[in-house]
């Protein structure tokens, strides 16, 4: 095995600094899966509503539904 890094190793080392959102955005751009974006946004909004339902904002959230 060569001491030089392969192209794959170099790419992996470069992308190790990326977070989940940066990696997901790169996936969307590379694979052109733009239809996943509205699903992700909807899941994030529903998750936010779920978190807020346990707080004092619950009566205001229930009026939305």
């Amino acid at each position: 095995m060569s001491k030089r890094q392969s192209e794959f190793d170099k790419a992996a080392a470069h992308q190790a600094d990326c977070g989940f959102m940066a990696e997901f955005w790169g996936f969307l751009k590379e694979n052109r899966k733009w239809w996943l974006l509205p699903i992700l946004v909807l899941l994030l909004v529903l998750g936010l509503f779920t978190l807020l339902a346990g707080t004092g904002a619950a009566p205001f959230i229930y009026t939305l539904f």
Side-chain angles (χ1 to χ4, degrees):
M1 186 166 187
S2 172
K3 289 191 176 195
R4 289 191 290 170
Q5 285 184 328
S6 68
E7 223 178 288
F8 180 76
D9 291 333
K10 288 179 186 177
H14 175 66
Q15 289 192 353
D17 300 335
C18 296
F20 173 74
M21 291 306 290
E23 188 172 338
F24 187 72
W25 182 254
F27 169 77
L28 288 177
K29 282 186 359 182
E30 183 72 26
N31 294 313
R32 305 216 184 264
K33 303 283 187 189
W34 297 114
W35 56 270
L36 286 174
L37 201 55
I39 296 171
L40 179 67
V41 169
L42 183 67
L43 286 174
L44 289 174
V45 168
L46 287 176
L48 180 65
F49 282 162
T50 303
L51 287 175
L52 291 176
T55 66
F60 301 109
I61 293 173
Y62 293 137
T63 60
L64 294 175
F65 298 103

